[in-house]
Amino acid sequence: MAIVELLNQDMKQAMKARDKEKLSVIRMVKASMQNEAIKLQKDALSEEEELTVLARELKQRKDSLHEFKEAGREDLVSNLETEIDIIQAYMPEQLSDDELEKIVVQTIEEVQAQSKKDMGKVMSALMPKVKGKAEGSRVNQLVQKNLS
């Protein structure tokens, strides 16, 4: 089932349950997806494009969460944690460190990378394979570790 369809179903349930927080987050995510579709001049996004939007929304909130924690804004931290949990539910299951390590090593062998100079080649081949299943910073660290 497409992510948009799932969001629509959950939005109806949140309306019926009068869950304002969940409803608000779902509406924000749907608006972001609609904006992306308009930007790309499409009627509907592909599943990969939907995942890209979800990942971007999640990353924005995680970055904000980090900033709010540093500033001591606990009132905003709890709201963001709730939003992150709601968005995380629509993301595919994250790869374990072992699974990610195997994919990284396999990709390094595929592109025949020798040193950290080949980092760009490895990352460009690797990111489409793990899109939505692993954070870029985590992938970057593993690639650096395996290239040194």
Side-chain angles (χ1 to χ4, degrees):
M1 178 182 297
I3 295 171
V4 171
E5 293 171 18
L6 193 57
L7 285 168
N8 285 334
Q9 280 182 354
D10 289 352
M11 188 168 78
K12 288 176 188 172
Q13 289 174 345
M15 285 177 174
K16 288 178 185 174
R18 300 193 191 284
D19 186 346
K20 289 181 182 178
E21 275 186 343
K22 188 171 186 174
L23 183 59
S24 172
V25 173
I26 291 172
R27 282 182 173 155
M28 281 191 280
V29 171
K30 282 189 62 173
S32 292
M33 287 187 180
Q34 255 180 329
N35 289 338
E36 186 73 12
I38 290 168
K39 188 174 102 180
L40 297 173
Q41 299 177 346
K42 292 183 170 185
D43 289 335
L45 297 175
S46 68
E47 195 164 335
E48 186 175 310
E49 291 164 337
E50 289 175 345
L51 275 177
T52 302
V53 172
L54 270 179
R56 183 174 51 229
E57 290 292 314
L58 194 60
K59 184 176 182 337
Q60 285 174 352
R61 282 167 177 78
K62 285 183 177 181
D63 291 345
S64 297
L65 182 69
H66 179 71
E67 295 295 319
F68 290 154
K69 281 184 178 179
E70 281 184 4
R73 295 291 309 267
E74 292 304 316
D75 55 326
L76 297 173
V77 168
S78 62
N79 288 345
L80 268 179
E81 286 174 340
T82 304
E83 287 183 20
I84 288 170
D85 290 342
I86 292 169
I87 295 172
Q88 195 83 48
Y90 298 101
M91 295 292 289
E93 191 173 322
Q94 297 293 297
L95 293 170
S96 71
D97 288 337
D98 292 338
E99 292 170 325
L100 188 56
E101 181 97 30
K102 286 177 189 172
I103 295 171
V104 166
V105 170
Q106 179 184 2
T107 305
I108 289 173
E109 289 171 4
E110 283 174 12
V111 297
Q112 299 170 349
Q114 302 297 317
S115 66
K116 288 191 177 186
K117 289 180 184 175
D118 300 322
M119 182 92 175
K121 249 196 311 190
V122 175
M123 290 299 285
S124 62
L126 183 60
M127 287 312 288
K129 294 179 184 179
V130 298
K131 185 172 214 116
K133 297 177 185 172
E135 287 184 17
S137 58
R138 218 173 111 207
V139 174
N140 192 329
Q141 288 172 347
L142 280 174
V143 170
Q144 285 184 5
K145 185 181 105 182
N146 283 292
L147 282 178
S148 57

